[in-house]
């Protein structure tokens, strides 16, 4: 019997949440913001293209991170089995989750009366807000003081503003 077989599923899920790692969410939000900044000229269906670009980039980077985890450090340390693969896939999933809110922002932007440039700015704002939120959640979940949570959020806000400054200076 494995160590987790005698522990109820609810307890194992709670344990995973307690030890959750939000690094992927912070990283994924920065990635999404960078995708928006680098989107440049979009084709005939700019909103659809940006939604797909955000989601597919998140999935591609998720696959890259899963691959790196499975065939990097993990391969040397333990056998690859279905449980390990699923565990790594789940742990890296926040990279994809972080791409969803900016993609949704682009998708609903016509309902808000925004043109394509407005949709880009909305998606960028949502991505940076996600980056700040994920970093604050990570710090809090790690047991950091409220002061340290504010520092983590502030540093990520500054990084987000740096990404926004790239958007201001890039002319596509």
């Amino acid at each position: 019997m494995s160590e987790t077989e005698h522990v109820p599923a609810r307890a194992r899920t709670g344990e995973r949440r307690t030890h959750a790692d939000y690094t992927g969410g912070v990283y994924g939000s920065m990635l999404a913001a960078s995708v928006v900044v680098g989107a440049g000229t979009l084709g005939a269906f700019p909103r659809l293209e940006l939604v797909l670009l955000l989601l597919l980039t998140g999935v591609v980077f998720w696959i890259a991170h899963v691959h790196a985890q499975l065939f990097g450090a993990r391969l040397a340390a333990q056998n690859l089995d279905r449980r390990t693969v699923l565990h790594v896939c789940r742990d890296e999933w926040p990279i994809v989750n972080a791409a969803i809110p900016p993609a949704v922002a682009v998708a609903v932007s016509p309902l808000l009366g925004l043109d394509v440039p407005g949709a880009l700015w909305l998606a960028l704002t949502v991505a940076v807000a996600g980056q700040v939120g994920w970093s604050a959640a990570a710090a809090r979940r790690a047991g950091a003081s409220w002061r340290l949570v504010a520092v983590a959020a502030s540093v990520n806000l500054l990084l987000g503003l740096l990404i926004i400054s790239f958007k201001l200076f890039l002319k596509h």
Side-chain angles (χ1 to χ4, degrees):
M1 188 183 252
S2 78
E3 185 177 308
T4 58
E5 285 182 66
H6 67 282
V7 177
R10 177 181 286 156
R12 287 193 311 266
T13 302
E15 181 180 312
R16 279 195 300 264
R17 286 188 186 133
T18 301
H19 301 310
D21 181 1
Y22 294 104
T23 306
V26 175
Y27 175 80
S29 295
M30 289 177 115
L31 177 64
S34 299
V35 166
V36 173
V37 168
T41 305
L42 298 168
F45 302 99
R47 285 182 175 89
L48 176 61
E49 291 171 15
L50 185 56
V51 166
L52 290 173
L53 185 61
L54 283 162
L55 296 175
L56 293 175
T57 300
V59 169
V60 166
F61 274 77
W62 170 71
I63 291 169
H65 278 248
V66 168
H67 178 270
Q69 287 291 325
L70 291 175
F71 297 100
R74 293 215 184 245
L75 188 60
Q78 68 189 91
N79 293 331
L80 286 181
D81 57 13
R82 184 173 187 265
R83 188 172 145 249
T84 300
V85 171
L86 291 174
H87 176 78
V88 171
C89 287
R90 185 191 71 241
D91 284 354
E92 297 297 333
W93 192 249
I95 294 170
V96 177
N97 279 346
I100 294 171
V104 169
V106 172
V108 302
S109 65
L111 301 174
L112 302 172
L114 297 174
D115 57 5
V116 173
L120 289 169
W121 281 106
L122 177 61
L124 184 56
T125 302
V126 168
V128 170
Q131 177 184 332
V132 172
W134 280 103
S135 67
R140 194 65 197 134
R141 183 61 61 103
S145 67
W146 286 108
R147 182 176 178 197
L148 192 53
V149 170
V151 169
S154 297
V155 167
N156 275 278
L157 178 59
L158 287 173
L159 290 170
L161 293 173
L162 179 64
I163 293 169
I164 289 172
S165 72
F166 296 155
K167 175 72 174 152
L168 291 171
F169 294 109
L170 279 177
K171 304 294 181 206
H172 294 286

